[in-house]
């Protein structure tokens, strides 16, 4: 007789979980719709107002979502996707949000039909494995030593950005910077750390064409004594320190009691001898330039300038590490541990220049620099900030190519090929997982469909024609021209460049209107989008652990403490009814 009650409870619980799923899906779709118009070369720009009242104009997905303040937890997790994609590969921040939103959108129909989220997630995971296999099948290797092919690929990947109007400039800067800092680890592995060893210096003024990659580093510092120390040195011997060149100060308040008048003079002399001893240890190696991250006293400045040595103090640790990588020096913590091998001799020129109202130090013309600075010039700070964001994306693309030199067709061609392959394979899948698997295949078409929408062409006709061409696996390179919206076969309109290793295959270099994608970016986009969609689908309840703050004066007045009297005890009910 209790069976109907149990069934009712189970039904209510299932309905409650479905409501949470629908709310999460709607929130995720709302985030995807915000940046949907920023995909492709003909994308729209967003004007953002930050908390400080500043204005940012950009079409970078991560930069837009970073400024949003959303209350829904599922929407916040979608924003994290874009940040993860940006940190991992530096590109595809808009695509990953659109794809994740579409995967959740097609899953909503199955939630309404009471499919269990685990079944949907299992189908999505299988679709991810099969899509990565398709990417491996259609990918084409590229020779990273061929600058023409590298330039075309980087330029095509940033063709949707604001700086695409400046031609090859940003792509050239990105390739020069990443090839400079690349280090071979052996066994075909290559490390390219663009965060630590590439510094972008933005200086308003001049033209954007004046921007360049330095074979060395630059930083916003001047020598300690400009009148006494040299500002230009050829082939300098550089010593880098991580210690102060001044008398040690007590960490807390220090009291010294002096009995005799001569003790004061002795104390001062001890300080001078200590500093002189440090300077003698440094000058023993005949340096031309001494750079320290800490302070440098006037007395040490006197000894160094007297010996003809230039000095710079209070430099950032990150800048000091870049100088060490550029000129071959070693950052030393104690002057008495200095060795000849610690002196940097790889720099060709040390020079201090005045740009605008500030002095900048250049350590350039290095023999084999493994760190560099990118000098950006431009008309305004807003322009430079947008150029820097585009440059970071371009450097990430170049790094991805150096790490995994494989190409995939762009313009939505890759997604359409994956979608067609998954649709064909869905017929061989048995059980209820077949339908979510097929829905995932349809979701991949969101990228070319959005590109067509942003181009302003007839979406239905374009998508129908593309699906017809991709029905056979031979047309993997057919996609949408991001500028005109036309359907193009990239193999017919491209310049042939050599691939690596040499074979009968050919790699195609795109014209500016057509573009390619890096294998790492596409693979990471698919992985992040599908795994995030599965995570959001698995959420069946949202529990808040945050107490709501009451507005001042809104709540009830605090009650006064009640003093219990003897008569109250008789009226208390000791045992419940």
């Amino acid at each position: 007789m209790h069976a109907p009650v149990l069934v009712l409870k189970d039904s209510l619980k299932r309905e409650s979980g479905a409501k949470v799923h629908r709310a999460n899906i709607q929130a995720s779709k709302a985030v995807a719709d915000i940046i949907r118009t920023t995909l492709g070369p003909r994308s729209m720009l967003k004007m953002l107002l930050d908390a400080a009242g500043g204005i940012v104009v950009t079409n970078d997905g991560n930069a837009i979502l970073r400024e949003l303040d959303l209350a829904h937890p599922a929407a916040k997790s979608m924003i994290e996707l874009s940040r993860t994609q940006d940190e991992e590969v530096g590109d595809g921040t808009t695509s990953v949000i659109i794809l994740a939103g579409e995967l959740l959108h097609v899953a909503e129909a199955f939630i309404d039909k009471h499919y269990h989220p685990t079944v949907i997630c299992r189908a999505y995971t299988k679709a991810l494995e099969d899509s990565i296999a398709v990417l491996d099948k259609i990918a084409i290797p590229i020779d990273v030593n061929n600058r023409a092919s590298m330039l075309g690929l980087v330029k095509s990947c940033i063709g949707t950005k604001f700086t695409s109007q400046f031609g090859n400039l940003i792509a050239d800067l990105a390739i020069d910077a990443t090839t400079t800092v690349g280090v071979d680890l052996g066994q075909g592995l290559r490390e390219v750390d663009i965060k630590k060893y590439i510094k972008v210096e933005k200086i308003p003024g001049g033209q954007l064409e004046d921007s360049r990659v330095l074979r060395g580093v630059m930083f916003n510092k001047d020598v300690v004594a400009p009148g006494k120390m040299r500002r230009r040195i050829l082939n300098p011997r550089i010593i880098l320190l991580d210690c102060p060149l001044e008398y040690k100060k007590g960490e807390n308040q220090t009291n010294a009691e002096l009995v005799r008048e001569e003790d004061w003079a002795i104390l001062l002399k001890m300080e001078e001898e200590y500093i002189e001893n440090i300077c003698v240890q440094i000058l023993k190696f005949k340096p031309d330039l001494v750079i320290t991250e800490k302070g440098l006293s006037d007395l040490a400045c006197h000894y160094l300038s007297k010996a003809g040595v230039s000095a710079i103090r209070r430099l950032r640790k990150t800048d000091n590490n870049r100088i060490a990588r550029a000129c071959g020096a070693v950052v030393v913590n104690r002057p008495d541990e200095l060795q000849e091998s610690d002196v940097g001799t790889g720099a060709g020129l040390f020079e201090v220049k005045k740009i605008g109202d500030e002095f900048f130090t250049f350590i350039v013309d290095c023999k084999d620099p493994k760190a560099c600075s990118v000098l950006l010039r431009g008309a305004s700070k807003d322009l430079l900030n947008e150029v820097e964001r585009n440059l970071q994306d371009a450097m990430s693309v170049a790094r991805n190519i150096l790490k995994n030199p494989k190409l995939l067709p762009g313009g939505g061609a890759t997604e359409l090929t994956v979608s067609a392959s998954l649709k064909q394979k869905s017929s061989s899948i048995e059980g209820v997982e077949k339908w979510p698997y097929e829905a995932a295949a349809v979701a991949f078409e969101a990228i070319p469909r959005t590109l067509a929408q942003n181009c302003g062409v007839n979406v239905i006709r374009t998508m129908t024609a593309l699906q017809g061409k991709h029905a056979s696996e031979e047309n993997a390179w057919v996609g949408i021209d991001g500028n005109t919206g036309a359907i193009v076969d990239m193999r017919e309109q491209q310049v042939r460049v050599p691939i690596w290793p040499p074979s009968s295959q050919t790699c195609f270099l795109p014209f500016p209107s057509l573009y390619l994608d890096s294998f790492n970016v596409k693979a990471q986009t698919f992985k992040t989008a599908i795994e995030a969609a599965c995570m959001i689908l698995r959420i069946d309840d949202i529990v808040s652990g945050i107490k709501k703050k009451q507005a001042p004066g809104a709540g009830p007045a605090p009650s006064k403490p009640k003093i219990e009297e003897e008569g109250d005890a008789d009226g208390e009910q000791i045992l419940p009814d």
Side-chain angles (χ1 to χ4, degrees):
M1 90 183 167
H2 297 292
V5 178
L6 292 174
V7 170
L8 180 62
K9 283 185 178 180
D10 188 49
S11 176
L12 288 173
K13 187 177 180 182
R14 190 166 61 237
E15 189 61 34
S16 173
K19 283 183 180 178
V20 173
H21 288 133
R22 288 192 199 98
N24 290 341
I25 290 170
Q26 292 299 328
S28 303
K29 282 165 60 180
V31 174
D33 289 339
I34 290 172
I35 61 169
R36 191 179 295 275
T37 57
T38 64
L39 184 73
R42 294 298 178 191
S43 61
M44 299 292 104
L45 293 170
K46 303 285 184 184
M47 180 177 281
L48 311 173
L49 301 175
D50 58 20
I55 294 174
V56 179
V57 179
T58 183
N59 66 350
D60 183 80
N62 184 45
I64 294 166
L65 295 177
R66 205 168 46 210
E67 299 293 335
L68 295 182
D69 185 16
L70 300 174
H72 199 283
K76 287 183 178 179
S77 66
M78 287 286 284
I79 292 174
E80 285 297 309
L81 290 191
S82 181
R83 186 182 62 81
T84 304
Q85 182 81 1
D86 191 54
E87 288 181 358
E88 191 66 25
V89 291
D91 195 21
T93 52
T94 305
S95 303
V96 71
I97 297 292
I98 294 173
L99 185 55
E102 191 69 18
L103 285 163
L104 290 168
H105 172 64
V106 297
E108 190 173 9
F110 300 107
I111 295 293
D112 293 339
K113 293 176 183 176
H114 303 297
Y115 273 60
H116 197 282
T118 305
V119 175
I120 304 172
C121 293
R122 209 159 44 228
Y124 278 8
T125 305
K126 186 168 182 55
L128 173 61
E129 293 172 2
D130 293 340
S131 63
I132 297 298
V134 174
L135 294 186
D136 281 323
K137 183 179 176 183
I138 65 174
I140 293 180
I142 185 174
D143 181 10
V144 294
N145 297 317
N146 187 310
R147 187 177 177 86
S149 54
M150 286 284 289
L151 183 67
L153 183 55
V154 175
K155 189 179 173 185
S156 67
C157 289
I158 61 167
T160 62
K161 308 293 182 184
F162 168 76
T163 50
S164 60
Q165 59 188 304
F166 298 111
N168 296 340
L169 176 66
I170 299 299
D172 276 325
L173 294 178
I175 292 171
D176 289 340
T178 48
T179 50
T180 298
V181 302
V183 178
D184 285 319
L185 302 176
Q187 297 180 350
L189 299 176
R190 190 174 177 86
E191 181 197 19
V192 184
D193 196 334
I194 62 176
K195 287 190 177 180
K196 279 188 182 179
Y197 301 123
I198 299 178
K199 177 75 178 293
V200 179
E201 292 284 352
K202 299 171 290 184
I203 305 177
Q207 297 179 337
L208 197 62
E209 288 75 14
D210 299 334
S211 305
R212 66 185 191 276
V213 176
L214 305 175
R215 283 190 61 80
V217 295
M218 66 172 289
F219 45 90
N220 189 0
K221 285 283 182 184
D222 192 7
V223 292
V224 179
K228 300 177 183 177
M229 294 179 175
R230 292 177 291 170
R231 278 181 165 165
R232 179 183 171 85
I233 304 171
L234 289 172
N235 300 318
R237 288 171 58 83
I238 302 174
I239 287 181
L240 305 178
L241 298 173
D242 185 21
C243 60
L245 297 183
E246 56 190 1
Y247 194 72
K248 287 184 180 177
K249 301 180 178 70
E251 293 184 8
N252 298 316
Q253 187 176 355
T254 306
N255 297 321
E257 187 176 345
L258 303 177
V259 180
R260 296 179 304 165
E261 185 180 348
E262 297 82 18
D263 291 346
W264 178 245
I266 293 171
L267 199 62
L268 292 177
K269 191 175 181 181
M270 285 172 61
E271 288 189 10
E272 291 180 6
E273 287 176 352
Y274 173 79
I275 293 171
E276 185 180 5
N277 183 35
I278 290 177
C279 292
V280 167
Q281 290 171 350
I282 293 171
L283 295 172
K284 188 166 57 177
F285 294 92
K286 298 179 181 178
D288 296 308
L289 176 64
V290 174
I291 299 175
T292 178
E293 298 173 20
K294 305 294 194 305
L296 190 144
S297 67
D298 294 339
L299 189 61
C301 176
H302 164 72
Y303 287 128
L304 293 176
S305 62
K306 191 176 177 182
V309 177
S310 299
I312 294 173
R313 64 185 171 190
R314 295 192 178 92
L315 190 70
R316 288 194 189 98
K317 181 175 281 294
T318 52
D319 286 333
N320 215 17
N321 290 337
R322 272 191 287 272
I323 297 169
R325 292 261 298 196
C327 69
V330 177
V331 180
V332 179
N333 189 258
R334 294 167 60 94
D336 53 355
E337 294 177 355
L338 268 170
Q339 300 175 357
E340 181 61 33
S341 58
D342 298 333
V343 181
T345 57
L349 175 66
F350 160 76
E351 189 174 16
V352 178
K353 291 181 181 178
K354 188 176 183 182
I355 303 177
D357 295 333
E358 298 184 23
F359 287 94
F360 290 87
T361 297
F362 292 81
I363 300 175
V364 291
D365 297 340
C366 300
K367 294 173 186 173
D368 185 22
K370 293 302 174 190
C372 67
S373 293
V374 182
L375 174 61
L376 289 183
R377 304 301 307 275
S380 66
K381 287 184 179 178
D382 291 333
L383 173 68
L384 287 175
N385 288 337
E386 182 65 10
V387 170
E388 184 191 14
R389 283 191 287 269
N390 295 169
L391 179 62
Q392 291 291 349
D393 288 347
M395 289 193 296
S396 299
V397 169
R399 177 193 63 187
N400 295 333
I401 300 167
L402 290 172
K403 280 188 170 183
N404 191 358
K406 287 183 182 179
L407 295 181
L408 287 169
T414 300
E415 286 81 1
L416 285 163
T417 304
V418 169
S419 176
S421 298
L422 295 183
K423 283 177 183 176
Q424 286 182 357
K425 194 164 184 180
S426 65
S427 58
S428 63
I429 294 177
E430 298 177 354
V432 291
E433 292 178 16
K434 173 181 179 177
W435 311 114
Y437 184 94
E438 193 170 337
V442 174
F444 279 103
E445 295 176 0
I447 301 295
R449 186 169 64 247
T450 305
L451 278 173
Q453 286 173 348
N454 293 344
C455 291
V457 296
N458 189 313
V459 178
I460 296 175
R461 286 183 182 176
T462 305
M463 288 302 297
T464 305
L466 280 170
Q467 288 166 353
K469 288 183 178 294
H470 279 270
S472 64
E473 294 185 1
E474 298 175 0
N475 294 324
W477 283 79
V478 176
I480 299 174
D481 183 337
N483 288 308
T484 63
I487 297 175
V488 291
D489 187 340
M490 301 185 185
R491 287 174 296 191
E492 294 177 0
Q493 305 189 30
Q494 318 229 340
V495 180
R496 294 174 182 268
V497 296
I499 66 167
W500 190 260
S503 68
S504 58
Q505 286 180 299
T506 310
C507 166
F508 302 96
L509 177 67
F511 288 118
S513 61
L514 305 174
Y515 48 96
L516 302 172
D517 279 317
S518 165
F519 180 88
N520 273 16
V521 173
K522 279 292 176 202
Q524 186 65 34
T525 300
F526 291 178
K527 288 175 186 175
T528 307
I530 291 179
E531 287 171 5
C534 292
M535 182 193 72
I536 291 174
L537 284 172
R538 286 176 187 272
I539 299 170
D540 66 348
D541 205 354
I542 298 174
V543 182
S544 175
I546 304 171
K547 291 183 179 179
K548 292 184 178 179
K549 294 181 180 178
Q550 289 186 345
S559 59
K560 295 181 180 178
K562 185 178 179 182
I563 301 172
E564 196 172 283
E565 296 178 359
E566 186 179 353
D568 298 332
D570 297 334
E572 285 186 358
Q573 186 174 356
I574 298 173
L575 294 173
D577 292 336

